[in-house]
Amino acid sequence: MMQKIQSYSRKIRSTIQLLICLLPLGVIYYWMTAQTEMDFISRFGIVSVTHEISAYTALPLTIETRVFAIIASFLPVGVLLYGMSVLVKLFRRYETGDIFSVDTANYYRRLGFAFFFWVIANLVFGGLISVILSFNNPPGERILSLSLGSVDIVTVLCGFMILTVGWVMREAQLIAEEHQHTI
């Protein structure tokens, strides 16, 4: 059974590491090709875009707008990459057979906090991207848009659940270590 866990963990870790490499490239590709013939991401619905460009401006995107959009996008993407790197470390632990340890529990704690950071980063990103995309509009037509939705509430709840699992695992491991040292 442990060999299956180790094998699956290795495959999952490798997949996440590949995604860590591809995600920044995908963000850059999206913003550099948005509203062009090369925009396969939007055209084929490969990824659901949360901020439609046309909702903020009817003007074509300038290179400056694209660069600022890339920079702003790296706020939530950075949090996502952080969460994914925590998952890589967690699955690496599983690969070595270290399922229940204080370190493993701490990775769950970090992952739970990544969910909170994700909500904050998306809130800030929403405001930044609305300003960036509408900045070239005439005065009076520029937009600042901030929003929290039900998905954000669910994300925060998931963060609390993951933090709780990590806390319980950590306490259980500390109790087990205490009993192991008791004569």
Side-chain angles (χ1 to χ4, degrees), residues 5 18 23 28 43 47 66 68-69 76 93 95 97 101 109 117 126-127 136 140 149 161 163 169 174 181:
I5 291 172
L18 177 64
L23 188 59
I28 293 168
R43 192 175 324 148
V47 176
R66 292 175 191 277
F68 284 126
R93 285 282 193 187
E95 283 180 59
S101 70
R109 184 174 180 268
F117 299 149
N136 290 327
M161 287 187 275
L163 280 174
M169 284 179 66
L174 290 174
H181 292 56

Side-chain angles (χ1 to χ4, degrees), residues 151-172:
V151 171
D152 298 313
I153 294 168
V154 170
T155 303
V156 168
L157 291 175
C158 287
F160 276 122
M161 287 187 275
I162 293 171
L163 280 174
T164 302
V165 167
W167 175 55
V168 169
M169 284 179 66
R170 187 178 197 300
E171 291 301 315

Side-chain angles (χ1 to χ4, degrees), residues 24-151:
L25 296 174
V27 169
I28 293 168
Y29 175 81
Y30 171 75
W31 284 114
M32 293 311 288
T33 63
Q35 296 181 328
T36 70
E37 292 296 318
M38 300 287 294
D39 184 8
F40 297 110
I41 291 176
S42 297
R43 192 175 324 148
F44 295 117
I46 295 172
V47 176
S48 175
V49 180
T50 56
H51 298 279
E52 281 296 324
I53 296 169
S54 60
Y56 299 105
T57 187
L59 300 171
L61 298 179
T62 64
I63 191 67
E64 293 86 8
T65 301
R66 292 175 191 277
V67 169
F68 284 126
I70 289 169
I71 293 167
S73 295
F74 277 106
L75 183 61
V77 168
V79 172
L80 186 57
L81 292 174
Y82 169 74
M84 293 168 81
S85 71
V86 171
L87 285 173
V88 165
K89 292 173 186 172
L90 183 63
F91 283 107
R92 187 169 283 136
R93 285 282 193 187
Y94 292 166
E95 283 180 59
T96 63
D98 186 11
I99 308 292
F100 298 105
S101 70
V102 172
D103 288 335
T104 303
N106 287 336
Y107 288 131
Y108 275 98
R109 184 174 180 268
R110 291 178 187 169
L111 189 59
F113 279 117
F115 276 71
F116 299 136
F117 299 149
W118 171 258
V119 171
I120 293 166
N122 272 330
L123 178 67
V124 173
F125 170 72
L128 284 174
I129 203 67
S130 65
V131 170
I132 290 167
L133 293 177
S134 67
F135 190 76
N136 290 327
N137 290 349
E141 293 182 27
R142 296 180 183 143
I143 299 169
L144 170 62
S145 174
L146 299 171
S147 67
L148 282 173
S150 58
V151 171

